[in-house]
Amino acid sequence: MMSEASETVSEDLSAARDRIAAAYEPRLLEEAGHRLAGLLASHLARAERSENAVLPWTEPPEAVRQAAALLRDSPARGEGVPDGFARLVTGMLDRGLNLHDPRYLGHQVPASVPLAGLFDAVGSVTNQVMAIYEMGPWATAVELAMIQELGTTIGWAPGAFAGSVTHGGSLANLTGLLTARNVALHDGWDRGLSGGGATPVLLAHAEAHYSVARAAGILGLGSRQTLRVGLDSRGRMDPRRLDEELTRVRAQGRPVVAVVACACATPTGAFDPLDDIAEVCRRHEVWLHVDAAHGGAALLSDRHRHLLSGLEKADSVVWDAHKMLFVPGLCAFVLYREKEHGFDAFRQDAPYLFDPAAPGLAEYDSGVRTLECTKRAAAFGLWGVWSLFGRQLFADMVDVTFALGRAFYDKLEEADDFAALHEPQCNILVFRYVPAELREAPAERLGDFQLELRRRLIESGEFYIVPSKYEGVGALRVTIINPLTTPTHLDQLMDALRRHGRESLNG
Ligand SMILES: Cc1ncc(COP(=O)(O)O)c(C=O)c1O
C-alpha cells in the first residue's frame, strides 16, 4: 500500500509528466514546424527585397529588457503553443540583423544559404552531438567526409592528412597552434613551459587576426612573444623580412613554435605569398600555419585559386565554412598536412569515453582531436548544401562576391568624393568618404567623421557596414558577403553615405 506522502509525490509527478508529454508531442513539432517554414520564408523574401531595416537598431539595455520581460510574462504563454511559438519567432525575426538583405555589407559573416540552416536544424532538433563516434555517428561521418573534401581541395593526397571541426576560426587557430607548440616543444604538454631555456616565439603576419596573439597567451607562450613580420606595399607578409626575422631569432637560440601567414588577412583581405613563405619556413625548418579562415574558399574558384598557391605546403590550415562557404555559424576546420599531427593537439585520457575494447574506433572520436568534449554537430549545413548543389555553388558565390569587391573599388576610384584605400584582392575593401569640406582636414578629424557617418548609416537601417582603421586613421570597411548584392546596391550605398555625410556636416 502506498503511503500518503508517496501518493502525493506520484500525483505531483503525474502532472509533471503530462506537462512534459505536451512539450515533447511530435504533432506539436509538426504544427510549429509548418508555421516556422512560412515565417522564415516570408521573412527572407522581405529581407532579400530590402523591405525592412538591415539592422533594426535598439539600444542594448532596451533589447535585454524586452527579452527578460518575455521570460517572465510572455503573452505567448496564454495562447495555444503553435500561436505562442509563432509570436516568439516573429519577435526574433523582427529584432535580428538581416544578413540576407543585399544592403548588408558588414562583418565576415555571410548571408548563409538558407537550406544550410535547415540541415543544421535536423541536428539541433534531434540533438546530435559528438565526443565519441557512437554519440553522433552521422555527425561524425559528415565531418570526416567534409575534412576529406576540403583537404583534397587543398591538394593533399586522400588519406594522408587529418583535421577536425571546431566552433569558429579563433578556436581553430588555437587548436592548430597548440599542435604546433606540442610538436616544436615536444614535452610542453606534460611538463609545461617553465623549462628555463630560451623563450619560444611565434612569428605572425603583422595584421594577423587577434585570435593568434590570444592563442599565444592561452598556450603559455605569452602574447608578447608573437613577433610581427612586416608587410609589403599590398599588405602581404614580406618573405624577405620573415627570413631575416627567423635568422635573428634562431641566432638567439629561441625555439620557433610556428610562422602564421594569412590567406587572407582580416583588415584589407590581403593574401600572403604562400609559395615564398613556405620556402622560407622549409629552409628554417619551422611549422607553417596558414589562417585561411576567410580566403580558403577561393580554392574552389578557377578564377581565384591562384591566390592560395602554396597552401598545400602548410603544416596546418584554418578554413571557416561560416565565412566564404556561406553556411551559418559556427563551422570551422583545422587541417593538418600530415595525418599523424591530427592527434597532437590534445593528449588526454578519459577512459569512460574512449572505449579500450574498440581501440580502432578512437580515430573517429572527435573528443581526442578537439578542445570540446561534447561538441555540436557543426558540419550538417555545409555537407547538406554541398551534397545538394555541388561545389559549383560555392565557386559561384566566391566569384560573384570577389567581382563585387572589384566593382566597388572601380566606383570609388571614379568618384571624386570617395577614396579607396587599397586595391581589393577579394571581397573586403577599406575606404573613406571625403566630401570637399574635409579634403584638407587633419587626419584625425577625417577619421572621426567616418566613424560618426557609419553610426548614422547603420542606425538608419539603410545599410550595414563596419568601422575600420587604415594607417591608424578611422575608415569604413565593407565585406561583400551577401551574394545577392548587386552593383546597384553599391551605388545606393555611396549615395546614402553622401546624404548622411551632408547631414552630419550640417549638424
Ligand atoms: C583571418 C581570420 N582568422 C580568424 C578569424 C576568427 O574567426 P571566428 O570569428 O570564427 O572565431 C577571423 C574573423 O574574422 C578572421 O578574419
Side-chain angles (χ1 to χ4, degrees):
M1 229 175 83
M2 258 194 229
S3 73
E4 208 175 298
S6 62
E7 248 174 66
T8 322
V9 169
S10 136
E11 273 166 26
D12 284 347
L13 283 184
S14 89
R17 283 189 200 291
D18 288 348
R19 287 191 294 271
I20 291 170
Y24 278 69
E25 173 53 56
R27 276 200 308 276
L28 185 60
L29 180 70
E30 187 176 5
E31 203 172 328
H34 284 305
R35 300 286 288 272
L36 178 63
L39 289 168
L40 280 175
S42 56
H43 176 77
L44 274 197
R46 283 197 305 278
E48 289 181 12
R49 291 195 300 262
S50 298
E51 285 181 15
N52 296 325
V54 186
L55 172 65
W57 177 255
T58 309
E59 293 296 333
E62 171 55 17
V64 176
R65 194 198 60 72
Q66 290 175 11
L70 287 168
L71 283 178
R72 282 189 305 270
D73 186 19
S74 168
R77 248 176 257 150
E79 300 164 315
V81 174
D83 287 341
F85 172 78
R87 179 197 281 267
L88 289 170
V89 168
T90 303
M92 290 167 74
L93 294 173
D94 287 348
R95 291 173 170 99
L97 174 62
N98 287 312
L99 287 88
H100 291 83
D101 188 315
R103 301 169 303 166
Y104 164 81
L105 302 153
H107 294 282
Q108 291 158 267
V109 177
S112 50
V113 181
L115 294 191
L118 294 190
F119 285 110
D120 279 347
V122 176
S124 289
V125 172
T126 59
N127 199 16
Q128 299 300 295
V129 296
M130 323 162 58
I132 55 169
Y133 174 71
E134 64 205 43
M135 286 172 73
W138 192 242
T140 307
V142 158
E143 284 197 6
L144 292 175
M146 277 319 316
I147 287 166
Q148 282 307 312
E149 194 72 25
L150 298 188
T152 49
T153 301
I154 289 175
W156 294 333
F161 59 90
S164 55
V165 179
T166 70
H167 289 102
S170 303
L171 188 49
N173 273 330
L174 176 67
T175 308
L177 293 173
L178 174 57
T179 300
R181 189 202 75 175
N182 290 344
V183 171
L185 306 181
H186 310 295
D187 55 359
W189 178 270
D190 293 317
R191 296 167 64 96
L193 301 187
S194 54
T199 319
V201 286
L202 203 61
L203 274 73
H205 178 115
E207 294 184 335
H209 188 259
Y210 72 81
S211 57
V212 170
R214 182 179 279 189
I218 297 169
L219 297 177
L221 301 171
S223 60
R224 288 204 209 128
Q225 306 311 327
T226 305
L227 306 182
R228 305 278 168 179
V229 180
L231 309 180
D232 67 13
S233 60
R234 300 189 64 199
R236 303 173 306 175
M237 186 196 277
D238 182 342
R240 194 181 42 79
R241 289 197 227 178
L242 173 65
D243 195 9
E244 286 165 7
E245 194 70 357
L246 278 169
T247 306
R248 192 179 65 78
V249 166
R250 286 287 199 218
Q252 294 169 342
R254 300 178 71 182
V256 179
V257 167
V259 165
V260 181
C262 296
C264 50
T266 311
T268 63
F271 283 76
D272 287 344
L274 298 178
D275 271 315
D276 295 344
I277 289 171
E279 173 52 23
V280 174
C281 290
R282 191 194 59 75
R283 264 192 289 111
H284 289 271
E285 296 182 354
V286 174
W287 182 284
L288 173 59
H289 175 84
V290 179
D291 181 351
H294 186 89
L299 281 176
L300 297 163
S301 154
D302 290 342
R303 293 170 202 227
H304 301 291
R305 186 174 306 126
H306 65 93
L307 291 167
L308 292 153
S309 172
L311 183 65
E312 70 285 357
K313 296 173 197 156
D315 295 284
S316 51
V317 172
V318 165
W319 184 344
D320 278 10
H322 63 252
K323 291 188 168 55
M324 290 298 291
L325 292 178
F326 294 85
V327 297
L330 294 169
C331 179
F333 292 79
V334 55
L335 302 156
Y336 303 99
R337 180 165 49 82
E338 289 182 22
K339 189 174 182 164
E340 78 235 33
H341 293 316
F343 295 95
D344 277 341
F346 305 97
R347 299 173 183 171
Q348 207 93 62
D349 276 339
Y352 60 93
L353 278 181
F354 310 115
D355 182 359
L361 289 183
E363 76 174 278
Y364 294 94
D365 295 342
S366 67
V368 287
R369 285 177 279 116
T370 58
L371 183 66
E372 302 95 331
C373 173
T374 307
K375 183 169 86 73
R376 195 178 162 80
F380 278 140
L382 179 62
W383 168 85
V385 169
W386 196 295
S387 303
L388 252 187
F389 297 105
R391 62 168 56 209
Q392 184 61 47
L393 178 66
F394 300 99
D396 293 341
M397 293 191 287
V398 168
D399 286 347
V400 164
T401 53
F402 278 31
L404 285 167
R406 185 78 215 181
F408 192 40
Y409 173 77
D410 293 341
K411 287 175 190 296
L412 296 174
E413 285 287 279
E414 272 166 31
D416 56 11
D417 52 352
F418 281 90
L421 298 177
H422 61 99
E423 233 183 287
Q425 294 173 40
C426 59
N427 53 339
I428 297 175
L429 187 57
V430 181
F431 66 103
R432 292 196 188 102
Y433 173 51
V434 190
E437 296 91 315
L438 292 181
R439 237 169 253 158
E440 307 299 327
E444 197 181 321
R445 165 80 185 105
L446 184 60
D448 289 348
F449 172 72
Q450 309 303 314
L451 306 186
E452 272 166 44
L453 176 54
R454 181 196 95 98
R455 210 43 11 245
R456 277 177 179 264
L457 181 73
I458 66 158
E459 290 188 16
S460 78
E462 286 175 67
F463 279 89
Y464 186 82
I465 62 176
V466 300
S468 188
K469 279 199 167 174
Y470 192 83
E471 294 175 350
V473 179
L476 304 170
R477 177 173 176 272
V478 291
T479 304
I480 303 172
I481 198 157
N482 181 334
L484 304 177
T485 299
T486 64
T488 308
H489 293 111
L490 302 176
D491 291 328
Q492 290 167 352
L493 169 63
M494 291 167 73
D495 287 343
L497 285 168
R498 289 183 175 112
R499 184 161 30 82
H500 286 285
R502 264 196 308 277
E503 282 169 19
S504 169
L505 286 172
N506 295 337

PDB file of all heavy atoms in Angstrom, residues 108 167-171 173 209 211 264-266 291 293-294 320 322-323 330 332, ligand 1:
ATOM      1  N   GLN A 108      32.600  39.609 -41.530  1.00  0.00           N
ATOM      2  CA  GLN A 108      32.889  38.413 -42.343  1.00  0.00           C
ATOM      3  C   GLN A 108      31.982  37.260 -41.896  1.00  0.00           C
ATOM      4  O   GLN A 108      32.444  36.178 -41.522  1.00  0.00           O
ATOM      5  CB  GLN A 108      34.353  38.053 -42.197  1.00  0.00           C
ATOM      6  CG  GLN A 108      35.265  39.075 -42.861  1.00  0.00           C
ATOM      7  CD  GLN A 108      36.645  39.023 -42.272  1.00  0.00           C
ATOM      8  OE1 GLN A 108      36.957  39.762 -41.347  1.00  0.00           O
ATOM      9  NE2 GLN A 108      37.475  38.152 -42.777  1.00  0.00           N
ATOM     10  N   HIS A 167      34.418  25.108 -33.140  1.00  0.00           N
ATOM     11  CA  HIS A 167      33.461  26.205 -33.069  1.00  0.00           C
ATOM     12  C   HIS A 167      34.152  27.523 -33.382  1.00  0.00           C
ATOM     13  O   HIS A 167      34.413  28.330 -32.497  1.00  0.00           O
ATOM     14  CB  HIS A 167      32.799  26.229 -31.697  1.00  0.00           C
ATOM     15  CG  HIS A 167      31.854  25.086 -31.497  1.00  0.00           C
ATOM     16  ND1 HIS A 167      32.162  23.979 -30.767  1.00  0.00           N
ATOM     17  CD2 HIS A 167      30.614  24.871 -31.987  1.00  0.00           C
ATOM     18  CE1 HIS A 167      31.134  23.129 -30.806  1.00  0.00           C
ATOM     19  NE2 HIS A 167      30.191  23.651 -31.532  1.00  0.00           N
ATOM     20  N   GLY A 168      34.471  27.724 -34.637  1.00  0.00           N
ATOM     21  CA  GLY A 168      34.967  29.018 -35.080  1.00  0.00           C
ATOM     22  C   GLY A 168      36.453  29.049 -35.373  1.00  0.00           C
ATOM     23  O   GLY A 168      37.222  28.173 -34.957  1.00  0.00           O
ATOM     24  N   GLY A 169      36.822  30.103 -36.119  1.00  0.00           N
ATOM     25  CA  GLY A 169      38.197  30.252 -36.570  1.00  0.00           C
ATOM     26  C   GLY A 169      39.159  30.526 -35.418  1.00  0.00           C
ATOM     27  O   GLY A 169      40.321  30.114 -35.469  1.00  0.00           O
ATOM     28  N   SER A 170      38.684  31.213 -34.381  1.00  0.00           N
ATOM     29  CA  SER A 170      39.577  31.515 -33.261  1.00  0.00           C
ATOM     30  C   SER A 170      39.992  30.226 -32.574  1.00  0.00           C
ATOM     31  O   SER A 170      41.175  30.011 -32.269  1.00  0.00           O
ATOM     32  CB  SER A 170      38.882  32.427 -32.240  1.00  0.00           C
ATOM     33  OG  SER A 170      38.457  33.601 -32.882  1.00  0.00           O
ATOM     34  N   LEU A 171      39.028  29.353 -32.348  1.00  0.00           N
ATOM     35  CA  LEU A 171      39.331  28.070 -31.709  1.00  0.00           C
ATOM     36  C   LEU A 171      40.148  27.194 -32.665  1.00  0.00           C
ATOM     37  O   LEU A 171      41.010  26.412 -32.213  1.00  0.00           O
ATOM     38  CB  LEU A 171      38.008  27.385 -31.332  1.00  0.00           C
ATOM     39  CG  LEU A 171      38.077  26.139 -30.490  1.00  0.00           C
ATOM     40  CD1 LEU A 171      38.960  26.312 -29.277  1.00  0.00           C
ATOM     41  CD2 LEU A 171      36.672  25.732 -30.048  1.00  0.00           C
ATOM     42  N   ASN A 173      42.368  28.365 -34.820  1.00  0.00           N
ATOM     43  CA  ASN A 173      43.749  28.872 -34.711  1.00  0.00           C
ATOM     44  C   ASN A 173      44.406  28.368 -33.431  1.00  0.00           C
ATOM     45  O   ASN A 173      45.560  27.944 -33.435  1.00  0.00           O
ATOM     46  CB  ASN A 173      43.757  30.406 -34.725  1.00  0.00           C
ATOM     47  CG  ASN A 173      43.795  30.973 -36.147  1.00  0.00           C
ATOM     48  OD1 ASN A 173      44.339  30.348 -37.060  1.00  0.00           O
ATOM     49  ND2 ASN A 173      43.214  32.141 -36.343  1.00  0.00           N
ATOM     50  N   HIS A 209      44.862  38.014 -37.399  1.00  0.00           N
ATOM     51  CA  HIS A 209      43.664  38.144 -36.561  1.00  0.00           C
ATOM     52  C   HIS A 209      44.051  38.060 -35.075  1.00  0.00           C
ATOM     53  O   HIS A 209      44.964  37.326 -34.707  1.00  0.00           O
ATOM     54  CB  HIS A 209      42.674  37.027 -36.912  1.00  0.00           C
ATOM     55  CG  HIS A 209      41.353  37.184 -36.237  1.00  0.00           C
ATOM     56  ND1 HIS A 209      41.011  36.468 -35.116  1.00  0.00           N
ATOM     57  CD2 HIS A 209      40.307  38.002 -36.513  1.00  0.00           C
ATOM     58  CE1 HIS A 209      39.790  36.823 -34.733  1.00  0.00           C
ATOM     59  NE2 HIS A 209      39.341  37.755 -35.565  1.00  0.00           N
ATOM     60  N   SER A 211      42.998  36.537 -32.724  1.00  0.00           N
ATOM     61  CA  SER A 211      42.955  35.206 -32.094  1.00  0.00           C
ATOM     62  C   SER A 211      44.341  34.556 -32.081  1.00  0.00           C
ATOM     63  O   SER A 211      44.578  33.627 -31.304  1.00  0.00           O
ATOM     64  CB  SER A 211      41.946  34.295 -32.796  1.00  0.00           C
ATOM     65  OG  SER A 211      42.236  34.169 -34.170  1.00  0.00           O
ATOM     66  N   CYS A 264      43.030  35.152 -46.267  1.00  0.00           N
ATOM     67  CA  CYS A 264      43.682  36.432 -46.342  1.00  0.00           C
ATOM     68  C   CYS A 264      43.656  37.105 -44.969  1.00  0.00           C
ATOM     69  O   CYS A 264      42.991  36.626 -44.078  1.00  0.00           O
ATOM     70  CB  CYS A 264      42.942  37.310 -47.336  1.00  0.00           C
ATOM     71  SG  CYS A 264      41.153  37.353 -47.028  1.00  0.00           S
ATOM     72  N   ALA A 265      44.386  38.241 -44.840  1.00  0.00           N
ATOM     73  CA  ALA A 265      44.407  38.961 -43.573  1.00  0.00           C
ATOM     74  C   ALA A 265      43.100  39.731 -43.391  1.00  0.00           C
ATOM     75  O   ALA A 265      42.515  40.220 -44.367  1.00  0.00           O
ATOM     76  CB  ALA A 265      45.587  39.918 -43.551  1.00  0.00           C
ATOM     77  N   THR A 266      42.665  39.832 -42.142  1.00  0.00           N
ATOM     78  CA  THR A 266      41.354  40.412 -41.851  1.00  0.00           C
ATOM     79  C   THR A 266      41.208  41.873 -42.312  1.00  0.00           C
ATOM     80  O   THR A 266      40.202  42.197 -42.960  1.00  0.00           O
ATOM     81  CB  THR A 266      41.073  40.299 -40.335  1.00  0.00           C
ATOM     82  OG1 THR A 266      41.333  38.956 -39.933  1.00  0.00           O
ATOM     83  CG2 THR A 266      39.652  40.670 -39.986  1.00  0.00           C
ATOM     84  N   ASP A 291      46.335  30.879 -41.741  1.00  0.00           N
ATOM     85  CA  ASP A 291      44.971  31.245 -41.367  1.00  0.00           C
ATOM     86  C   ASP A 291      44.231  31.620 -42.653  1.00  0.00           C
ATOM     87  O   ASP A 291      44.315  32.749 -43.134  1.00  0.00           O
ATOM     88  CB  ASP A 291      45.013  32.417 -40.378  1.00  0.00           C
ATOM     89  CG  ASP A 291      43.610  32.816 -39.930  1.00  0.00           C
ATOM     90  OD1 ASP A 291      42.628  32.314 -40.512  1.00  0.00           O
ATOM     91  OD2 ASP A 291      43.504  33.639 -38.996  1.00  0.00           O
ATOM     92  N   ALA A 293      40.969  31.360 -42.839  1.00  0.00           N
ATOM     93  CA  ALA A 293      39.587  31.356 -42.362  1.00  0.00           C
ATOM     94  C   ALA A 293      38.672  32.011 -43.395  1.00  0.00           C
ATOM     95  O   ALA A 293      37.616  31.476 -43.737  1.00  0.00           O
ATOM     96  CB  ALA A 293      39.499  32.092 -41.029  1.00  0.00           C
ATOM     97  N   HIS A 294      39.092  33.147 -43.916  1.00  0.00           N
ATOM     98  CA  HIS A 294      38.242  33.846 -44.885  1.00  0.00           C
ATOM     99  C   HIS A 294      38.496  33.363 -46.313  1.00  0.00           C
ATOM    100  O   HIS A 294      37.568  33.102 -47.061  1.00  0.00           O
ATOM    101  CB  HIS A 294      38.490  35.360 -44.794  1.00  0.00           C
ATOM    102  CG  HIS A 294      37.561  36.159 -45.662  1.00  0.00           C
ATOM    103  ND1 HIS A 294      36.338  36.606 -45.226  1.00  0.00           N
ATOM    104  CD2 HIS A 294      37.665  36.573 -46.950  1.00  0.00           C
ATOM    105  CE1 HIS A 294      35.732  37.265 -46.208  1.00  0.00           C
ATOM    106  NE2 HIS A 294      36.519  37.262 -47.267  1.00  0.00           N
ATOM    107  N   ASP A 320      37.339  28.596 -42.364  1.00  0.00           N
ATOM    108  CA  ASP A 320      35.996  28.757 -41.785  1.00  0.00           C
ATOM    109  C   ASP A 320      34.933  28.549 -42.858  1.00  0.00           C
ATOM    110  O   ASP A 320      34.914  29.293 -43.854  1.00  0.00           O
ATOM    111  CB  ASP A 320      35.802  30.192 -41.257  1.00  0.00           C
ATOM    112  CG  ASP A 320      36.386  30.390 -39.874  1.00  0.00           C
ATOM    113  OD1 ASP A 320      37.096  29.505 -39.392  1.00  0.00           O
ATOM    114  OD2 ASP A 320      36.103  31.456 -39.288  1.00  0.00           O
ATOM    115  N   HIS A 322      31.847  29.088 -42.094  1.00  0.00           N
ATOM    116  CA  HIS A 322      30.819  30.103 -41.814  1.00  0.00           C
ATOM    117  C   HIS A 322      31.275  31.500 -42.260  1.00  0.00           C
ATOM    118  O   HIS A 322      30.732  32.504 -41.807  1.00  0.00           O
ATOM    119  CB  HIS A 322      30.415  30.094 -40.333  1.00  0.00           C
ATOM    120  CG  HIS A 322      31.514  30.435 -39.394  1.00  0.00           C
ATOM    121  ND1 HIS A 322      32.111  29.520 -38.583  1.00  0.00           N
ATOM    122  CD2 HIS A 322      32.150  31.595 -39.139  1.00  0.00           C
ATOM    123  CE1 HIS A 322      33.056  30.102 -37.860  1.00  0.00           C
ATOM    124  NE2 HIS A 322      33.104  31.375 -38.192  1.00  0.00           N
ATOM    125  N   LYS A 323      32.276  31.544 -43.105  1.00  0.00           N
ATOM    126  CA  LYS A 323      32.612  32.799 -43.782  1.00  0.00           C
ATOM    127  C   LYS A 323      32.276  32.585 -45.257  1.00  0.00           C
ATOM    128  O   LYS A 323      31.119  32.647 -45.632  1.00  0.00           O
ATOM    129  CB  LYS A 323      34.083  33.168 -43.537  1.00  0.00           C
ATOM    130  CG  LYS A 323      34.355  33.563 -42.077  1.00  0.00           C
ATOM    131  CD  LYS A 323      35.757  34.102 -41.886  1.00  0.00           C
ATOM    132  CE  LYS A 323      35.974  34.772 -40.546  1.00  0.00           C
ATOM    133  NZ  LYS A 323      35.655  33.975 -39.349  1.00  0.00           N
ATOM    134  N   LEU A 330      28.318  27.963 -36.158  1.00  0.00           N
ATOM    135  CA  LEU A 330      29.750  28.029 -36.386  1.00  0.00           C
ATOM    136  C   LEU A 330      30.226  26.733 -37.032  1.00  0.00           C
ATOM    137  O   LEU A 330      29.804  25.658 -36.616  1.00  0.00           O
ATOM    138  CB  LEU A 330      30.495  28.177 -35.052  1.00  0.00           C
ATOM    139  CG  LEU A 330      30.254  29.472 -34.291  1.00  0.00           C
ATOM    140  CD1 LEU A 330      30.818  29.402 -32.883  1.00  0.00           C
ATOM    141  CD2 LEU A 330      30.920  30.624 -35.032  1.00  0.00           C
ATOM    142  N   ALA A 332      34.061  25.611 -38.466  1.00  0.00           N
ATOM    143  CA  ALA A 332      35.431  25.938 -38.885  1.00  0.00           C
ATOM    144  C   ALA A 332      36.277  24.673 -38.885  1.00  0.00           C
ATOM    145  O   ALA A 332      36.058  23.775 -38.068  1.00  0.00           O
ATOM    146  CB  ALA A 332      36.029  26.963 -37.923  1.00  0.00           C
TER     147      ALA A 332
HETATM  148  C1  LIG B   1      41.586  35.745 -40.807  1.00  0.00           C
HETATM  149  C2  LIG B   1      40.670  35.412 -39.657  1.00  0.00           C
HETATM  150  N1  LIG B   1      41.004  34.441 -38.818  1.00  0.00           N
HETATM  151  C3  LIG B   1      40.226  34.101 -37.765  1.00  0.00           C
HETATM  152  C4  LIG B   1      39.049  34.763 -37.529  1.00  0.00           C
HETATM  153  C5  LIG B   1      38.220  34.382 -36.344  1.00  0.00           C
HETATM  154  O1  LIG B   1      37.168  33.567 -36.742  1.00  0.00           O
HETATM  155  P1  LIG B   1      35.893  33.342 -35.799  1.00  0.00           P
HETATM  156  O2  LIG B   1      35.187  34.637 -35.749  1.00  0.00           O
HETATM  157  O3  LIG B   1      35.150  32.255 -36.487  1.00  0.00           O
HETATM  158  O4  LIG B   1      36.396  32.919 -34.450  1.00  0.00           O
HETATM  159  C6  LIG B   1      38.654  35.792 -38.382  1.00  0.00           C
HETATM  160  C7  LIG B   1      37.392  36.515 -38.148  1.00  0.00           C
HETATM  161  O5  LIG B   1      37.016  37.410 -38.840  1.00  0.00           O
HETATM  162  C8  LIG B   1      39.485  36.126 -39.478  1.00  0.00           C
HETATM  163  O6  LIG B   1      39.182  37.110 -40.325  1.00  0.00           O
END
